Amino acid sequence: SLGNVGALMTRVLDILNTPDPQHFLLLFQNPSEIRPSGGFLGSYADITIHGGNVTNIDVRDIYDPDGQLVMKTLAPRALQRVSPRWEARDANWFFDFPTSAAKVLSFLEASKIYAERGTRFIGAIAVNVPIVQDLLATTGPIELPDYQLTIDEKNFLAEVQREVESGADNKAGRPKRILRVLTPLVLEKLADLSNVQKRLLIARLQNRIRTKELQFYFRDRALETYVQSMGFGGDIYAPEMPDYDDYIAFVRANIAGGKTDILIDETVAIESTVDALGVVHNTLTVSRSHRGDTETAWWYRMANQLFFQLLTPYGSTLLDAQGHDAMATPTVNRPTYAPDPDVVAIESTLQFPKPHIEQFAQFGKITFAGWLTVPAGNEKTLSLDYQLPTRVTLEDGARYRAIIERQSGSRERFRYTLHAPSGFIWKESQSSDFLFASDDLDGR
């Protein structure tokens, strides 16, 4: 309502006009190395706001604060394949963006860089690579004389990844310097946009919000509630009492698999069948094809090593699993590392319903998880069969509701087929089968 918007704006102004500087984070996520909240968090910008104005933008490599992090926290089990120690760069581990953002902020604030100054962040915006490409498409090319490069929306990702992985800055121990140089130049051009360009950019960003390429988090409860209500928050759909029959979210985490997700062609298909007793059986099929064998850069030719999670309604039962890899998730005994309470709450529910398949509870959902590794030039298919916990009422006019949530940064072709029980048809399709298909899913 207008009253809610007015109250929200009043709260925003109260925060921005406080006498003390306020710090806000831009989290740059790279879906080429996909993680549950969108992509690997390689860089970020600390934005200082004072008196309602932006007074400083400090772009940093995420390894800067991690290198000055004193506390030792035990990583989630899957991440222990990379390192037993959990730090800011891997803290966007949760599909629920508010949980990931809060975790990233807590690690950064514990680093000496910010702890010694008592810096607290009021919130964060996660920005995926397509957002930067949209900005460059609006501003036009940007010259970087230091690098003898002209950066535009088409070459941004390739050139930045090349510089970060093997350029002169990498050899000098400053792999993310190119972002520090580029960011103020982009912002300078954005400040000079015409009204037509501004409208075009707003339309592009609205579309990116729709697909979760741009996600917002605020520590202020009123702001966070508003962000979630508007669909900007990247939060998991979690009503107090489930008001859906089915919930589907397929979540990926690239663990030591290079920047290969940009070269993965993926199809996610759900076959959902309501039987004569109203019981719902689902078959998830995920096909992934790795095109990296045609690339020359080593970070594209690596095997894509995926830790997958399928979030389902609480009480779902796994019936069968095929195609996944027999990779044991490590458990590291490091008594000097402190367990994280959010991770402990999830991992304390861990079970193994099938060989090399994990099951645990998180965010009011049951999750089936495991590993799927696809070498460059290869294709693999994962299949999970499971049964939902509740039965459908079989009567004329009965409604069926499935909630499908997209992972930020994902690029899959999605297919969902719902089969009615014998003797019934779906009103929407006038058939026993209802099909939903999209190559560009909404966030929810």
Side-chain angles (χ1 to χ4, degrees):
S1 69
L2 289 176
N4 289 339
V5 173
L8 175 74
M9 293 309 299
T10 299
R11 181 61 186 145
V12 171
L13 291 173
D14 286 344
I15 292 173
L16 295 183
N17 289 319
T18 56
D20 298 322
Q22 302 293 312
H23 291 263
F24 195 81
L25 282 178
L26 275 179
L27 305 175
F28 299 117
Q29 299 188 128
N30 186 356
S32 298
E33 187 177 349
I34 200 162
R35 290 295 173 88
S37 82
F40 182 71
L41 180 59
S43 306
Y44 70 97
D46 172 13
I47 299 176
T48 305
I49 304 169
H50 195 194
N53 298 310
V54 175
T55 57
N56 188 48
I57 299 176
D58 183 21
V59 180
R60 285 185 175 268
D61 189 321
I62 195 67
Y63 289 88
D64 291 349
D66 278 352
Q68 298 188 51
L69 185 63
V70 176
M71 69 179 190
K72 295 183 178 180
T73 305
L74 188 63
R77 294 177 71 252
L79 281 171
Q80 290 175 22
R81 187 169 293 278
V82 178
S83 171
R85 187 176 180 181
W86 202 20
E87 296 172 306
R89 62 181 176 271
D90 294 320
N92 60 342
W93 180 247
F94 305 97
F95 180 52
D96 182 69
F97 180 68
T99 305
S100 277
K103 197 65 64 180
V104 173
L105 266 57
S106 69
F107 276 114
L108 290 178
E109 290 169 350
S111 171
K112 286 184 178 181
I113 289 179
Y114 302 107
E116 292 181 348
R117 291 180 286 173
T119 300
R120 290 268 300 169
F121 297 98
I122 63 172
I125 300 178
V127 176
N128 289 4
V129 167
I131 300 296
V132 182
Q133 292 170 324
D134 285 344
L135 297 180
L136 291 168
T138 306
T139 64
I142 293 181
E143 301 292 335
L144 297 181
D146 289 359
Y147 298 89
Q148 297 181 331
L149 281 175
T150 300
I151 295 293
D152 59 27
E153 76 277 14
K154 294 179 181 178
N155 71 358
F156 164 75
L157 180 59
E159 291 294 347
V160 169
Q161 288 193 161
R162 181 185 60 79
E163 185 62 36
V164 168
E165 298 293 345
S166 63
D169 285 343
N170 177 283
K171 296 169 185 175
R174 304 174 299 173
K176 306 295 173 59
R177 178 178 174 270
I178 188 171
L179 292 175
R180 186 186 291 262
V181 172
L182 179 63
T183 299
L185 298 177
V186 174
L187 294 176
E188 183 179 325
K189 279 205 168 188
L190 288 174
D192 294 331
L193 292 181
S194 68
N195 289 333
V196 172
Q197 288 175 310
K198 289 177 182 177
R199 287 194 291 270
L200 178 61
L201 179 58
I202 289 172
R204 284 172 167 159
L205 294 182
Q206 286 175 333
N207 184 59
R208 296 302 186 186
I209 289 173
R210 176 185 65 83
T211 56
K212 294 173 69 173
E213 301 288 4
L214 193 62
Q215 301 171 94
F216 296 76
Y217 168 74
F218 291 94
R219 277 177 160 157
D220 181 85
R221 186 177 296 275
L223 289 177
E224 178 62 12
T225 299
Y226 180 78
V227 161
Q228 293 187 16
S229 71
M230 294 298 291
F232 302 167
D235 50 302
I236 288 181
Y237 185 75
E240 291 185 7
M241 294 293 292
D243 59 351
Y244 51 82
D245 295 284
D246 199 357
Y247 176 92
I248 301 161
F250 186 72
V251 182
R252 310 147 189 85
N254 179 331
I255 308 296
K259 309 296 183 184
T260 53
D261 289 288
I262 194 70
L263 296 168
I264 296 293
D265 293 328
E266 181 182 68
T267 299
V268 176
I270 294 280
E271 289 278 339
S272 188
T273 302
V274 184
D275 70 15
L277 298 177
V279 177
V280 182
H281 295 83
N282 282 359
T283 298
L284 167 83
T285 304
V286 180
S287 299
R288 291 172 65 84
S289 177
H290 189 339
R291 296 181 281 106
D293 58 316
T294 62
E295 301 291 327
T296 56
W298 64 265
W299 51 89
Y300 292 137
R301 296 180 62 86
M302 293 179 67
N304 181 265
Q305 189 162 279
L306 193 75
F307 180 73
F308 65 82
Q309 301 178 66
L310 173 64
L311 278 68
T312 71
Y314 193 85
S316 296
T317 304
L318 185 66
L319 305 175
D320 192 24
Q322 301 290 333
H324 59 291
D325 290 309
M327 291 172 59
T329 300
T331 299
V332 178
N333 181 20
R334 291 292 179 94
T336 58
Y337 286 20
D340 177 85
D342 291 325
V343 174
V344 169
I346 294 171
E347 294 185 353
S348 64
T349 66
L350 181 65
Q351 301 178 38
F352 296 91
K354 297 294 177 182
H356 305 288
I357 291 289
E358 301 177 8
Q359 175 183 315
F360 44 85
Q362 59 174 335
F363 305 106
K365 311 291 190 289
I366 286 295
T367 299
F368 305 120
W371 295 88
L372 184 66
T373 299
V374 185
N378 285 257
E379 179 178 348
K380 281 192 177 181
T381 299
L382 166 73
S383 177
L384 299 177
D385 295 330
Y386 59 102
Q387 179 178 310
L388 301 190
T390 57
R391 294 192 179 192
V392 178
T393 301
L394 299 183
E395 62 184 21
D396 188 35
R399 294 179 178 270
Y400 188 87
R401 187 171 188 235
I403 304 295
I404 300 163
E405 291 203 292
R406 174 180 185 161
Q407 180 183 7
S408 172
S410 64
R411 300 164 51 251
E412 80 272 21
R413 295 178 293 274
F414 186 86
R415 304 290 182 266
Y416 172 77
T417 306
L418 180 62
H419 303 288
S422 178
F424 289 86
I425 63 171
W426 299 110
K427 179 180 178 181
E428 287 79 3
S429 63
Q430 288 298 302
S431 166
S432 60
D433 295 336
F434 174 80
L435 173 66
F436 169 77
S438 176
D439 291 345
D440 188 26
L441 275 176
D442 286 352
R444 179 178 297 157

